[in-house]
Every structure is written in structure tokens, then in C-alpha cells.
Amino acid sequence: MGARYDESFRRSIDDAPDFWAQAAALVEWVTPPTTILDDTEAPLYRWFSDGVLNTCVNALDRHVESGNGDRPALIHDSSVSGEVTRFTYAQLLTKVAAFAGALTTEGVQRGDRVVIYLPMVPEAVIAMLACARIGAVHSVVFGGFAPEELAARIDDAQPVVVLTASCGIEGTRVIEYKPLVDAALLIAHHRPRRTIVLQRPYATASMTDGDIDWAQAVSAATPADPVPVDATDPLYIIYTSGTTGRPKGIVRDNGGHAVAMAWSMRNVYGIGPGDVWWAASDVGWVVGHSYIVYAPLITGATTVMFEGKPVGTPDAGAFWRVIHDHQVKALFTAPTAIRAIKKEDPTADMLAEHDVSSLQSLFLAGERLDPDTYEWATQHLGVPVVDNWWQTETGWPIAANLRGLDPLPIKSGSPTKPVPGFDVRVVDESGADVGADHDGSIVIRLPLPPGSAPTLWGDDQRFVDEYLSAVPGHYTTGDGGYFDADGYLYVMGRMDDVINVAGHRLSTGAIEAVVAAHPSVAECAVIGVHDSIKGQLPRALVVVKSGLNPDPQELAGEIAASVRERIGAIASLKDVLIVSALPKTRSGKILRKAMRAIADGRDEPVPATIEDATVLVSIAPLLRDPTTGSS
Ligand code: COA
Ligand code: AMP
């Protein structure tokens, strides 16, 4: 056990071009690449730069052409409507080609951007693949973001067309999407040519000039043929939170991505053609892009798309019901979903009501897998519970237990070892290795493997500055952790201003900007504090302007409402505490690092002055205590 992993990992590092040239054979090319790794613009690297392909062909056409058109491609299961809709590969291809035709009719061409703001409906998958088919670049924006955030993404991506629906459903609440898009378009400077609107039965969107009905757009269109694109052409942009409020447009290319998806589905997750696979995430997140849509379809597997929550719709047995109904072989979700189920049904009684014997593994990612959740899932499901660590930027796992290649013993608290292609190091501030069992910053030696972000949309310099500059020749992940003596990696959490709330990545900087804009607030710090279900929750510590004495409850309510309105409900800021001062450096910068360390239960750096130490000590209980409610 481990020899195949060791050999594969070594080869991927010692002779990366040879390793990835072999993996490239998993993909169908119009022109196979002869240049595997292009380092002419290092530290920006490109993979398969002279290759030509089409990602949609790899996801759909080739399976139909090889005689598997009748195989189920997509099962959409909505616990909110109670409906299940199935698409074979041939049916999905017909839908995608038709919608690609509609986009072409609306003037979308190769390289143009399309913003997709849709709930978890099959049309989201159809729209993504339709963009890929004609070489357009999609940017899916998670439905929980507010108009201002959507507008920022529209201004950055400059789409020709925006796609939306009349509504999404959150639990039992109907959330109208179209008014949110209309509001975003009023805020945005960029003007898309069209908004294409999917009318759902639960709400009817009112249409204005420039809007077109989805069904009407499709009925008037001629199905589009696939457009061959360069491997280095962008397939999509996905915006993610950084340390500042300005979201970062992570770029994913076509060639490297297709290879990484095909390789990882088989080797990391052990999924092959015909297997039923369920990634219970949202298409708005990277997990949704990679493992609801592209990887399973490129592999020829059946992907389950679930609209609903793990608890409450109708109960804590929703996940087990879906596994049973569709004979799911492997489930991928975030630990927070399992914690939510565990809270509602601690003894897993609902599990006994469903036959989940088809399930062979549970994959968890998106945040640290805490030992309690690991133990609970292992005990009740009786299958390997496999942690895997990655980021929007990499697009696929950096560290994992490679179930398809060479399963290794699982250690609770560790996502196991670096995945082939990712030369992971744990370093100190000087960039030197810290050695086994010592904490440090997790970096990856360049080049990153295929599928990882080659750059940020329209901003190579920001990519270099934010990711590639701290340790020359390396990508800085932003996470801290350590290797144990067996080479297992432990990822302990972010070392920057990014927090992870219910598997959703958020910037405390962005939340702080909204809190600071409240007229009563002199200064503030937003810190992620421990939460037993969501992993972390944002907590705002605010100093009010001198001479003001606002009612704490009212102030908290107003701040929470404006964060919800300007960032979105997923920011979940409900906890606002008034403090008399915040600890600062000599130059007046708030000691966020020390505050974060206290909140994470790590040793905090000692502040420079006695006054700061006193302030830090006074606020420490507010950071450590997860049960402190809103004041
Ligand atoms: N559109 C509009 N609003 C949304 C939304 C969407 N797509 N997604 C979430 N929201 C809202 C929720 O309704 C909630 O509103 P509320 O404050 O009025 O209740 C708020 O945003 C916070 O949502 P969430 O953080 O998801 O909390 P929750 O209590 O509704 O659900 C979990 C908690 C753990 C059950 C849920 O987050 C979950 O299943 N997460 C794991 C799976 C996942 O998607 N992970 C992503 C990466 S793998
Ligand atoms: P996202 O870009 O939304 O996928 O969030 C990436 C961040 O989530 C990482 O930088 C980590 O902080 C955290 N994360 C994701 N998966 C794991 C994991 N398996 N263990 C620990 N942290 C994780």
C-alpha cells in the first residue's frame, strides 16, 4: 500500500510534462498538444498550449458518438418540488446544442462572457455546457450573493448576456432572482446585450426591454455545433473572496481543466463511466463546477444534481433518500452539511429508514473536517470518509487519499497526502521548510498542475502579487498547517482574512467595509469565530464614534441588515458586539492576526505595547466564546 501513490507522485514532480502528457490521453483533442508545459512566461505557466479541443464535446458528444447516448448523464432531484428529472447523454446534448444555438443567436461568440445567476436547476448545467460548446466563457455567480456583489462581477467579466430565472427556493421560501438581477444591472456600469430569463412555476418574472424568455430563445434557435478552442482559452471565470473586498476572477482554461477533471475523477474519487456520483454542493461554487458538472460528465458517469438542503426539506433524511433513490456510489459534500444532519438526527435514525448500501465512500471538503464529524459519519455510514483539501484557485484536490489510484490508511484530521502534481511544502516566513510536526504556511512549488488557475481575469499582475510573490517560485495557498512524520498533511485554517461559513468562502475585509460604512461605527474588525454547525461565523467587533451611544441591539440589527443587503444572506453576520477599543500596531493597524489566532485557539503573537496587550486581553473572551450572542 502506498507504492503506486509514491511512484505516481514522484513522476508527477520529477517529470511533470511526461506525466501530464500521458494523462492528456484521457481527453479527446481536435489537435493533440505537442507542447505540454509552456514556461516562457514564468511564473505564469500554461499547459498543452498548442492543443485544440472542445470541453463540451468531451463532456457529451464523445459519449454519444461512442454508443453511450442512452446512459443517464444528469439526474436532477429537487426536494423542494418533489420532482426528479433525468437526462441521458443524448438528451442532454440535444438541450445543450439548442441552448448554444440560442446564445449564438443573441450574438455570443467565442471568447465572449456569459454571467449565469441561476438556482440549482438543470438549465444551469445546460447553460454552462452551452457556453463551453461555442467557446464562450461562463461566470456562474452563486445565488446567495446580493445585487451589489453580482454587479461587481458583471463589471469585471463584462458579459454579452446574463442568464437568470424567475426564482430559486431556499427551504420553503421562494426567492425571486429577476429583481436581484435588475437591481444589479442598475448598479453595474457594464450593459449586457440581453438577459435570458427562465420562468419557473413558483414565481413569474416581469420582463423589461432587453429581456427574453428562455423557452422562446431556444425555440427560435438552430442547434450549434461545437467550436474548437485553444487549450489555453478560458472556459470559465469563477469569482472568489480574497483578503480585500474586491473579488478575484479565477480563470480556468479548457485543456488543462479537462485533463485534471478526467484524471481526478478516476484517480482521486475512483469514479468511472456509468457510476452514479453525487456532489451535494451548488453550481455557484468551485465544487459544483468541477464535480457536479465537468468531471463526472467528462468521465461518462451519471451526476446527481440536488436542489434542497440536507435538513428541513423535508427532514434530516433527505441525503439518505437521494442516495437510495438513485443508487449513489459516492457522495461529496461539506462537513457542515453532515454536522447539520447530525444535529437534527444525532443517532442517525433517519439513515435506518433508507437503504444506502450502494454508497461506497463519502468525500468531504470545503473546510476542515473536524474529528467529531469524521467519527460520526464513519460510524453511521460504515464507509471510508475521505477528507480532501483544495481551493477555488486549484479547481481540484491538492491533498487527498487517492481512492482510485492507491487508497492509503485514513488518519482523522488529515486530508492524507499531496495529490500528484502538487509539490506541497510547509514553510516559515523566510520560505524555509519547518520540518515534520511544525506549523507553517502551506505553499506549492510552481508550476501548479493542469486545471489550476493560470491567472486572474484581466489581471496577471494581481495573480503574481497575491499568490506568487511571498515565496519565490511558489504558490501561497493562504492556509496554515503541518506535515506529520509519515508525510500526512494537516490543514489547520486560513492565515489571512478569508473565513469559511457553512462551506462558503467569505472575505472578512468585504464584510468590514460594509460594517465600517454604518454612520455610528468609528472602526471595526470582523473575525471568524467557531460555530458548531457552520464551522465559522463572522463576528463584528465595533467601536462606536465618540459622543454616540446607540442601542446595541438596534445597531446590531442595522449592521446585520446592511451586510445581508450588500453582500448577501450567506454572509450570515448576526453577531455584532460593541467594544471600547481594538488592539492596534504602533502604526495604528488593527491587530487582526492576533485576534484571529485567539479565535482559532492558537498561540497569539504578543502585541507591541502594554496598552495593546491589555485591549487584546479584554476582547479575548469575545473571540474565544462561540456562544456569545448578538448584543
Ligand atoms: N439564494 C438565496 N439565499 C441563499 C442561498 C441562495 N442560493 N443559499 C443560502 N441562502 C441563504 C439561506 O437561506 C440563509 O438565509 P437565512 O439567514 O435567512 O436563513 C443564509 O443564506 C445562510 O445560508 P447557509 O449558510 O447555507 O445556512 P443554512 O442554515 O440555510 O444552511 C447548511 C446551512 C449547512 C445546511 C448549508 O449551508 C449546506 O448544506 N452547506 C453545505 C453544502 C455546500 O453547499 N457547500 C459549499 C461548498 S462544498
Ligand atoms: P474554496 O475556495 O471556497 O474552496 O475555499 C478554500 C478554502 O477552504 C481553503 O483555502 C481552506 O481554508 C478551506 N478548505 C477547503 N477544504 C479543506 C479541507 N479539506 N481541510 C481544511 N480546509 C479546507
Side-chain angles (χ1 to χ4, degrees), residues 117-120 141-145 168-171 173 175 177 180 279-282 285-288 308-311 319 332-341 364-367 390 500-506 533-534 537 564 568-574:
Y117 188 74
L118 283 170
M120 286 287 283
V141 178
F142 178 64
F145 281 117
I169 301 169
E170 269 296 295
R173 270 182 305 148
I175 304 210
Y177 274 38
L180 303 175
S281 178
D282 188 288
W285 305 115
V286 68
V287 174
K309 297 255 176 191
V311 289
F319 271 31
F332 182 162
T333 189
T336 186
I338 301 298
R339 287 195 298 268
I341 295 171
L364 296 172
E367 54 172 325
W390 48 298
N500 206 308
V501 179
H504 311 320
R505 174 167 159 181
L506 297 164
I533 302 296
K534 296 195 178 188
L537 274 178
R564 195 178 173 96
I570 50 163
S572 297
L573 178 77
K574 302 202 166 94

Side-chain angles (χ1 to χ4, degrees), residues 511-527:
I511 303 175
E512 273 175 19
V514 179
V515 178
H518 189 282
S520 299
V521 172
E523 57 185 5
C524 67
V526 173
I527 303 291

Side-chain angles (χ1 to χ4, degrees), residues 481-544:
Y482 65 93
F483 275 114
D484 73 7
D486 299 329
Y488 276 60
L489 185 67
Y490 292 75
V491 182
M492 303 312 288
R494 298 289 304 197
M495 301 177 79
D496 55 14
D497 295 330
V498 168
I499 55 171
N500 206 308
V501 179
H504 311 320
R505 174 167 159 181
L506 297 164
S507 154
T508 53
I511 303 175
E512 273 175 19
V514 179
V515 178
H518 189 282
S520 299
V521 172
E523 57 185 5
C524 67
V526 173
I527 303 291
V529 294
H530 175 76
D531 181 77
S532 62
I533 302 296
K534 296 195 178 188
Q536 280 185 304
L537 274 178
R539 174 173 295 167
L541 302 190
V542 303
V543 178
V544 296

Side-chain angles (χ1 to χ4, degrees), residues 240 286 364-369 387-393 415 477 479 491 493-494 500 503 505:
T240 192
V286 68
L364 296 172
E367 54 172 325
R368 184 164 179 270
L369 173 55
D387 187 6
N388 51 123
W389 167 60
W390 48 298
Q391 313 183 308
T392 305
E393 288 84 343
T477 65
D479 281 304
V491 182
R494 298 289 304 197
N500 206 308
R505 174 167 159 181

